[in-house]
Amino acid sequence: TSSSIVEQDVDRFTQHVYKDPETGCEMPYNLYLPKDYDPNKSYPLVFFVADASANINNTKTPLFQGNGATVWTEPEEQAKHPCIVLAPQYTQDLVQSIGMMTTDENVWTPGLTLVTHLLQDTIKNYAVDKTRIGAFGYSMGGRITLELLAEGQSYIRHIHTCNDKIE
C-alpha cells in the first residue's frame, strides 16, 4: 500500500452534508461504500477524523491528510476487507460558529455532539455491522475517538489514536 494520496483515492469517496437537528449545524463529510455495496448485507465501518490542521472549508481535506481514510478504500484492501469509510470534515466555518471540536478543558462540546450524531446517522442509514465499528484519528481526531469512547459510545469496538495529548 502506498503512503501517497492520489486523485483516484479521493475520487472513491462521495461528499455529503449532514444537518444535525439538535445543534442546527451542518457538517460536510466524505463517505465510501464498497464497490458492490448491498444494503441487505452488513459491513464494518471505519470512522476517521483528521487533526485540527485540516479545519478548513474543503470537504475533501481529511482525505489528503496522510491516508487515514483512503488506505481502507484501496482495491487490494477492499478485496480482503470490504468496509464503509466515514471521514467528517470539521470546517473553519464550524470552528468560528461553535468552537473547536475538542478542548484542553476536557468538556463535551457542540462539535462533539455534531460528529457523534453524524456517526449515529451513518450507522442508522447504511448497512453497518454494529459489532465491527472502528474509530481512529490523528491528534484532534484521536482525541475525538477517546472522547466518544469516554462518553459511552459503546458501539465503537476498536480505536486507534496517533499523537494525542492526554491529561
Side-chain angles (χ1 to χ4, degrees):
T1 304
S2 171
S3 63
S4 65
I5 307 301
V6 294
E7 197 168 320
Q8 66 192 20
D9 296 331
V10 173
D11 289 344
R12 287 192 283 267
F13 286 81
T14 56
Q15 288 67 49
H16 308 270
V17 176
Y18 170 71
K19 170 95 172 164
D20 183 44
E22 183 178 327
T23 65
C25 296
E26 293 184 350
M27 174 178 266
Y29 64 95
N30 299 278
L31 183 69
Y32 172 84
L33 298 175
K35 181 180 176 187
D36 297 318
Y37 176 78
D38 179 349
N40 297 310
K41 293 182 179 181
S42 64
Y43 301 88
L45 173 67
V46 174
F47 177 62
F48 171 74
V49 184
D51 72 27
S53 71
N55 290 354
I56 64 172
N57 292 331
N58 179 341
T59 303
K60 294 181 180 182
T61 300
L63 305 178
F64 291 103
Q65 188 180 62
N67 55 354
T70 57
V71 67
W72 304 98
T73 67
E74 292 182 7
E76 308 82 38
E77 190 62 32
Q78 282 289 309
K80 294 184 288 186
H81 307 289
C83 64
I84 297 169
V85 180
L86 173 63
Q89 172 56 351
Y90 201 73
T91 64
Q92 182 62 33
D93 289 345
L94 284 169
V95 171
Q96 291 173 347
S97 66
I98 61 174
M100 291 295 290
M101 203 176 325
T102 60
T103 69
D104 289 338
E105 291 79 33
N106 297 316
V107 296
W108 193 261
T109 66
L112 285 168
T113 297
L114 179 60
V115 76
T116 300
H117 290 171
L118 167 62
L119 178 57
Q120 292 168 343
D121 187 72
T122 303
I123 294 166
K124 179 178 128 192
N125 290 305
Y126 292 94
V128 173
D129 179 344
K130 294 179 181 89
T131 67
R132 297 190 298 163
I133 299 172
F136 72 101
Y138 305 139
S139 192
M140 176 190 74
R143 177 77 176 265
I144 289 162
T145 64
L146 295 174
E147 293 284 355
L148 293 176
L149 203 57
E151 282 296 311
Q153 306 303 321
S154 59
Y155 48 80
I156 297 174
R157 301 288 188 222
H158 312 279
I159 69 167
H160 179 74
T161 63
C162 298
N163 300 322
D164 281 332
K165 176 183 174 186
I166 302 173
E167 296 176 8

